[in-house]
Amino acid sequence: MLYYNDIREPLWRALRLLLAAACLLALLSCVRTGAVFSSGTDAASVGVADEGTEPGEADDRTAAEEACAVSSGEPSGETADQAEAACLYRSRAVGRLTLRPVREPSSIPTCDMFFPLSNVEGAQNMARLDIRSQGLDSWRALESPVQRSLEYALNMPADEPALARPGMSLTWGQVVRSLTEFLDLLPHLDADPDLLAERFVWYGMRQKPLMTGYYTPEIEASLTRRPGYEFPIYGVPGDLRYGPVRGSNRFYRVEKGRVLPYYERGAVDMGKVLAGRGLEIAWAKDPVDVFYMQVEGCGRLRLPDGTTRNVLYGAKNGHGFRSLGRILHAKGLLPRGHLSKEDVKEYFAKHPRRMFELMAENRSYVFFRLEDSPPEGTIGKPLTPMVSLATDRKLLPLGSLLAFEAEIPEARDGRPSGKRKVAGIGLAQDTGTAIRGSHVDYYIGEGNAVAPIASNIKTEATVYLLISKEALING
């Protein structure tokens, strides 16, 4: 018994030392193979992978992050450019816990009209966007206009094509999913704009579109006919119909059982075929103002008491559009380069008898409705200045999300003054009779103060269609 008591204490001390050594070895092993000894980018990659990253995504991100690591070693020339671009695509920590992990589509469709940019190319274009150039102080300011596009797209059949080209088809469901994901990103984009490059496929257009501009003009008018207000603004006639005629949808009228094209401008303005039917919703001072308000598709009426009322697009007669300035130029009445509204009005002030005759050569005619709401696009929702675009729906789906770059005029004292770059987010929310093919029309805003800008936009634009990767994966 005395022998056991003599050795018990040394035995316990040795056992405790052995246990401590084993624990220390185990801890060192875990640390050496774990995140403590790995780089910051590796740790980020492990964190994303744990959330369910797809294999392709991990490869892309690893390549991008390696390029970022190279950039810290002061590469030069092309390598430096590639490294800088790759850094734009690097994941950040902002808001990631509230967003689903991004996945890379196994295949990305392409066609004769659009081509997909790589992740790095998308990041390079994302870096050039500046929503402040659109007059926006935060990405969150896009929430309401995007919500309007989403409401339109949700009313379309989800499985039907919003865009159908050989080799590429996008459904309305994919448009909806893209708009929904963009709305989810908005709270994070001020801090982490690269999310838009990471989570969306940027489709470039093989033919850069022409960009023109439009606005909501203000004209002098009265709701009742009175001296000085003699020219009618018509509401939608009851006999104007729209539907299939000989295999295609058209505007038409029926007379004595015969289907006929609706009345042309000359019949309305000079033949007075609509007079006396109670269709006049207002009376204008200047018929040329009415003509150009029809070109814009909406307007604001400045009434004699100083108040205003809006007139919005109601319908059209279905005939083809011709520019009034081009009509006068074709007849040798105005020189090229002087075909603006102001030039046309100046000509008619000197030759008033030819006014209705020449305007009638544009057979198109637009009818309005009197409203208190702001100007609307084809989607039936209010337009947003410097965001909304009118497009050919065969080119870009109505409601779709776009990114764009273009040079537009600046204005000073009611006249164009230099140029400035706009690079931001657009929404296809409107159409126009003159907007066909590779052509977009940029909505600048309301009132004659923006007329010098809108009327003088005529430039080549860079436009991207943005479709979320999740939409391409899940349809």
Side-chain angles (χ1 to χ4, degrees), residues 239-241 251-255 258-263:
D239 60 344
L240 175 61
R241 303 183 186 183
F251 290 93
Y252 66 94
R253 62 190 174 92
V254 177
E255 184 177 316
R258 297 174 59 208
V259 174
L260 301 172
Y262 205 74
Y263 300 112

Side-chain angles (χ1 to χ4, degrees), residues 162-409:
L163 177 70
R165 304 291 301 181
M168 180 177 174
S169 178
L170 295 173
T171 66
W172 285 109
Q174 289 174 308
V175 174
V176 166
R177 190 180 289 270
S178 298
L179 291 168
T180 301
E181 181 157 1
F182 185 70
L183 283 171
D184 290 341
L185 291 183
L186 284 179
H188 309 285
L189 290 179
D190 284 321
D192 192 2
D194 292 346
L195 284 169
L196 190 57
E198 182 180 337
R199 304 182 79 91
F200 279 72
V201 173
W202 290 50
Y203 278 100
M205 297 178 65
R206 298 189 189 277
Q207 179 182 351
K208 288 190 175 183
L210 169 70
M211 175 180 277
T212 52
Y214 71 116
Y215 72 111
T216 301
E218 182 178 292
I219 72 171
E220 293 186 83
S222 169
L223 300 183
T224 58
R225 189 172 188 175
R226 62 173 67 187
Y229 299 86
E230 305 287 347
F231 302 100
I233 300 170
Y234 285 115
V236 180
D239 60 344
L240 175 61
R241 303 183 186 183
Y242 180 75
V245 178
R246 290 185 283 277
S248 61
N249 287 331
R250 300 181 184 181
F251 290 93
Y252 66 94
R253 62 190 174 92
V254 177
E255 184 177 316
K256 297 180 181 179
R258 297 174 59 208
V259 174
L260 301 172
Y262 205 74
Y263 300 112
E264 299 179 6
R265 178 178 297 275
V268 176
D269 283 347
M270 297 189 291
K272 308 294 184 185
V273 294
L274 300 182
R277 293 171 52 176
L279 296 173
E280 298 86 351
I281 60 173
W283 299 83
K285 273 190 172 183
D286 187 340
V288 182
D289 285 340
V290 178
F291 181 100
Y292 279 102
M293 189 170 70
Q294 292 178 345
V295 173
E296 303 298 339
C298 58
R300 186 164 68 191
L301 308 183
R302 175 67 61 179
L303 304 179
D305 64 0
T307 61
T308 61
R309 291 289 301 274
N310 280 350
V311 287
L312 307 184
Y313 174 87
K316 58 185 178 182
N317 64 354
H319 292 281
F321 171 85
R322 287 187 67 194
S323 161
L324 187 51
R326 292 183 182 277
I327 290 169
L328 270 62
H329 174 67
K331 295 182 175 295
L333 304 176
L334 286 179
R336 185 179 297 276
H338 294 274
L339 309 180
S340 69
K341 173 183 174 181
E342 290 71 25
D343 295 317
V344 170
K345 292 187 77 168
E346 184 178 343
Y347 176 84
F348 285 146
K350 297 175 181 177
H351 307 88
R353 294 185 179 182
R354 301 202 64 185
M355 181 168 52
F356 287 107
E357 166 202 342
L358 290 166
M359 288 196 301
E361 296 207 18
N362 172 29
R363 300 183 300 157
S364 175
Y365 202 93
V366 172
F367 304 100
F368 295 101
R369 65 185 196 275
L370 198 62
E371 297 283 354
D372 292 322
S373 55
E376 295 178 353
T378 304
I379 65 170
K381 307 290 182 180
L383 296 169
T384 302
M386 306 297 287
V387 173
S388 298
L389 291 160
T391 68
D392 184 342
R393 66 180 78 204
K394 294 179 181 178
L395 179 75
L396 293 162
L398 268 179
S400 58
L401 180 67
L402 311 170
F404 70 95
E405 296 179 51
E407 273 197 345
I408 68 171

Side-chain angles (χ1 to χ4, degrees), residues 447-469:
N448 294 333
V450 299
I453 301 173
S455 301
N456 289 282
I457 297 176
K458 190 172 184 181
T459 185
E460 184 180 77
T462 301
V463 177
Y464 303 98
L465 173 63
L466 305 185
I467 301 295
S468 79
K469 294 177 179 178

Side-chain angles (χ1 to χ4, degrees), residues 104-118:
E104 297 293 331
S106 57
S107 64
I108 299 177
T110 185
C111 67
D112 60 332
M113 186 183 299
F114 297 101
F115 64 94
L117 277 62
S118 69

